[in-house]
Amino acid sequence: MMILVYGGSASGKSEYAEELITAMESDTRYYIATMQAKDDESIRRINRHKDMRRDKRFTTVERSTDIDLAPIKESGSGLLECMTNLLANEMFLKSGIVDSDRVSEKIVSDTLRLNKRLDNLVIVSGNVSSAGADYDEYTLDYIRALELINTKIAEAADRVYEVVCGIPIKIK
């Protein structure tokens, strides 16, 4: 089963995704972490998420790109945290910026391949397009790619939830 949990910043989407996955019957739980520790803020967020999942029997797999290559078994449940970081890691490379269509297609394919390797996959993704601000072309390209990824993953998912103010709303 594949589940997409979607929401704005600090909406409670990560907490809800963890509730979903810990309620599933599974001998093995993987936490597929995509955030790279690049600055104090990212280190604080990583530590907060580690604290949240303490004592929840997760095996942490740090995979900032190419999630389909994560070293996991052919069974178990996985929590992919989170699509917004994965996209930034795959799109903004030292060698340059990857085209939004190409990167979104790759990430969707990688995610679907990862899903086939697991009994359950819960994916956390963000809503970054509702701010209504004026952005530069690179940020707009990122937002467009994330919207494409979220749409394709939602189409393929068995269930989709949007989390608003800590309240999960079933979309699909």
Side-chain angles (χ1 to χ4, degrees):
M1 175 184 312
M2 186 167 65
I3 301 172
L4 174 64
V5 178
Y6 169 87
S9 177
S11 64
K13 62 188 174 291
S14 296
E15 294 87 346
Y16 184 64
E18 285 188 18
E19 285 177 30
L20 287 173
I21 201 142
T22 55
M24 295 174 178
E25 293 293 322
S26 186
D27 291 334
T28 308
R29 284 189 200 126
Y30 298 99
Y31 185 97
I32 304 157
T34 63
M35 180 176 269
Q36 297 175 3
K38 292 184 175 182
D39 57 23
D40 289 342
E41 174 61 22
S42 60
I43 291 167
R44 274 193 297 277
R45 289 180 68 192
I46 288 168
N47 288 335
R48 185 174 74 78
H49 282 268
K50 283 180 179 177
D51 288 343
M52 283 172 47
R53 67 180 184 270
R54 191 177 321 280
D55 303 323
K56 294 184 181 175
R57 297 182 15 247
F58 279 103
T59 298
T60 300
V61 176
E62 293 185 18
R63 195 77 202 177
S64 60
T65 61
D66 302 313
I67 57 168
D68 59 323
L69 302 177
I72 59 171
K73 298 177 188 173
E74 293 292 323
S75 63
S77 296
L79 174 59
L80 175 60
E81 174 76 44
C82 114
M83 194 60 74
T84 56
N85 291 319
L86 179 63
L87 173 58
N89 299 339
E90 297 260 12
M91 187 170 184
F92 301 107
L93 305 175
K94 289 180 184 177
S95 59
I97 299 172
V98 179
D99 174 73
S100 60
D101 288 331
R102 195 171 97 217
V103 74
S104 57
E105 184 179 305
K106 178 196 183 301
I107 289 172
V108 169
S109 295
D110 289 355
T111 304
L112 296 177
R113 277 194 296 279
L114 177 63
N115 182 55
K116 287 180 181 176
R117 295 174 54 204
L118 293 162
D119 299 322
N120 304 294
L121 178 60
V122 178
I123 302 159
V124 177
S125 192
N127 175 4
V128 297
S129 62
S130 63
D134 289 330
Y135 294 115
D136 62 50
E137 67 178 288
Y138 302 115
T139 304
L140 289 172
D141 231 18
Y142 171 87
I143 291 169
R144 184 175 164 280
L146 186 61
E147 289 172 343
L148 245 158
I149 291 165
N150 287 339
T151 298
K152 295 291 184 185
I153 295 298
E155 287 172 1
D158 299 290
R159 289 191 265 163
V160 177
Y161 295 92
E162 181 175 11
V163 180
V164 180
C165 299
I167 301 168
I169 302 163
K170 188 174 184 179
I171 305 295
K172 177 181 176 185

